[in-house]
Amino acid sequence: MNPTIGWIRSLAESWGVPAVLVPLVPFLLLLIVLYAVIAVAAYGAKRKWPRADKTIAFWLFISPWLIGFGLFTVGPMLSSIYVSLTSWDLITPPKFVGLANYSEAFQDPRVAQALKVTLLYAVISVPLQTALAFLVALLLNADLPGMRFFRTVWYLPSLVSGVAQMVLFLWVFNPQYGLANDVLGKVGIEGPGWFNDASWALPTVILMSLWTVGGAMVIYLAGLKDVPVNLQEAAALDGAGAVRIFWHVTLPQLSPIILFNALTGIIGALQIFTQGFIANGGPKDSLLFFVYYLYDNAFQNFRMGYASALAWILFVVILALTAVTARGSAFAVYYETELSGRRRSRRKK
């Protein structure tokens, strides 16, 4: 424990603070100091800029979020950078080792396997989820009786938590008495081993991911409802058929939503953890997802420094893939408030 925090806690105990509240005293004291600094800064700004009332009020109102973001997001991130440069088993004091953890990670064959499995999952599952959610939204956009019921049915599976979902599919894909192999057996097909087979474990998880496309489907459905009807009617009056209206009117209007769902899907797929954890990495590390391997090093092998280095490697990978996807979409995404990327580049020339 930090000596300053220990001194504050001992002082609180000597003042008769209940034992349950003693751990909160350093945090509350830090909040008091932070708000005292904010109050002094606001008072000084008010004296220097008398008309800055709205600006000062803005910063005061968002200060709880800023403090929480700094303490619980930025603070731990900066701390993990230092921890990634140390050898720390959570018991003995951290020992500075420089870039040794990163060097080891680039030579670790299990890191390569974890990256391979995670990237393969993302590359296959995200396009499938995006396409399926979009097709379902197109079908559920029809104004027919009972559509509200079907929209609810498609959305409900996305409310099931990761652990409950994995437990459910462990039963469905059980090779001996599972529902999937039972149905395949009735039509004369011998079912595979699913999670028990190294060659089928990852495809099984990809199939599982398609069960929860309801969240993206709702976003697509909202976008379809927002497509201007007058544009579709104008295209129809010009002689465009249903396919051309969809390709030249509906799809461009939905392109920002497709990009959003693709980016969030990529970020989520690269952070997949529960399936690998429940399956214990799968047979022959076929489900050794990167975050699961990170967790295994941090809380099973107590190598917190190495796990922090892996976390920052994953951060760089996610940042790079997100940037490439966003940059590559400049020529395909249409925004009503500006020209498309291709036309902008031509105008600059």
Side-chain angles (χ1 to χ4, degrees):
M1 182 187 300
N2 186 284
T4 303
I5 295 178
W7 176 77
I8 294 174
R9 293 181 64 171
S10 61
L11 186 63
E13 291 173 352
S14 65
W15 286 351
V17 176
V20 178
L21 300 178
V22 167
L24 296 177
V25 172
F27 175 71
L28 294 176
L29 184 61
L30 177 60
L31 283 182
I32 293 173
V33 172
L34 287 175
Y35 272 107
V37 172
I38 292 174
V40 172
Y43 177 76
K46 176 64 177 176
R47 294 194 60 183
K48 188 172 183 179
W49 299 290
R51 297 182 180 179
D53 291 347
K54 293 183 178 180
T55 303
I56 295 172
F58 166 77
W59 288 108
L60 287 175
F61 275 114
I62 69 167
S63 62
W65 180 87
L66 286 176
I67 292 174
F69 179 73
L71 290 178
F72 302 116
T73 302
V74 177
M77 287 181 66
L78 295 177
S79 176
S80 70
I81 294 177
Y82 168 74
V83 173
S84 71
L85 302 176
T86 66
S87 175
W88 186 31
D89 59 4
L90 300 177
I91 301 174
T92 59
K95 180 181 178 182
F96 185 79
V97 295
L99 299 176
N101 289 325
Y102 294 93
S103 177
E104 180 183 351
F106 288 117
Q107 300 174 13
D108 188 348
R110 299 199 75 197
V111 170
Q113 173 67 10
L115 276 175
K116 174 187 172 183
V117 172
T118 306
L119 291 175
L120 192 59
Y121 170 80
V123 167
I124 298 176
S125 66
V126 173
L128 288 177
Q129 292 176 34
T130 303
L132 180 60
F134 188 65
L135 291 175
V136 172
L138 288 175
L139 292 174
L140 297 181
N141 190 44
D143 191 12
L144 296 174
M147 278 300 167
R148 292 184 178 180
F149 169 76
F150 288 107
R151 291 168 188 168
T152 304
V153 169
W154 270 97
Y155 179 72
L156 282 178
S158 62
L159 300 178
V160 180
S161 65
V163 175
Q165 177 189 350
M166 187 63 181
V167 171
L168 171 64
F169 278 96
L170 281 174
W171 171 75
V172 171
F173 291 116
N174 187 286
Q176 296 180 355
Y177 52 84
L179 179 63
N181 280 0
D182 185 52
V183 172
L184 291 175
K186 292 184 182 302
V187 296
I189 300 176
E190 183 180 355
W194 303 111
F195 289 110
N196 296 338
D197 189 341
S199 59
W200 273 94
L202 186 59
T204 305
V205 174
I206 293 173
L207 285 174
M208 284 176 50
S209 69
L210 301 180
W211 195 58
T212 55
V213 297
M217 178 271 297
V218 169
I219 298 175
Y220 284 129
L221 195 58
L224 287 169
K225 296 295 183 183
D226 197 44
V227 174
V229 179
N230 59 333
L231 294 180
Q232 297 175 334
E233 292 176 347
L237 290 174
D238 288 338
V243 175
R244 297 191 66 182
I245 291 175
F246 170 77
W247 186 259
H248 294 287
V249 178
T250 305
L251 195 60
Q253 292 286 325
L254 292 177
S255 56
I257 298 176
I258 295 174
L259 174 63
F260 170 78
N261 278 334
L263 287 177
T264 54
I266 290 172
I267 295 172
L270 293 175
Q271 298 182 79
I272 181 173
F273 166 75
T274 305
Q275 290 81 347
F277 176 75
I278 299 296
N280 198 25
K284 299 180 181 179
D285 286 342
S286 56
L287 294 179
L288 184 67
F289 296 113
F290 199 90
V291 176
Y292 169 67
Y293 185 54
L294 186 158
Y295 164 86
D296 189 60
N297 276 280
F299 301 105
Q300 299 296 324
N301 300 328
F302 298 103
R303 301 188 63 195
M304 189 59 68
Y306 188 56
S308 298
L310 293 179
W312 279 101
I313 292 173
L314 180 62
F315 172 79
V316 172
V317 171
I318 293 176
L319 184 64
L321 289 179
T322 304
V324 169
T325 303
R327 183 64 179 173
S329 67
F331 297 100
V333 178
Y334 168 80
Y335 295 100
E336 293 184 8
T337 56
E338 61 184 41
L339 296 173
S340 65
R342 190 181 300 277
R343 291 178 62 188
R344 282 202 306 268
S345 62
R346 289 178 179 175
R347 178 163 291 190
K348 288 180 180 180
K349 293 181 180 178

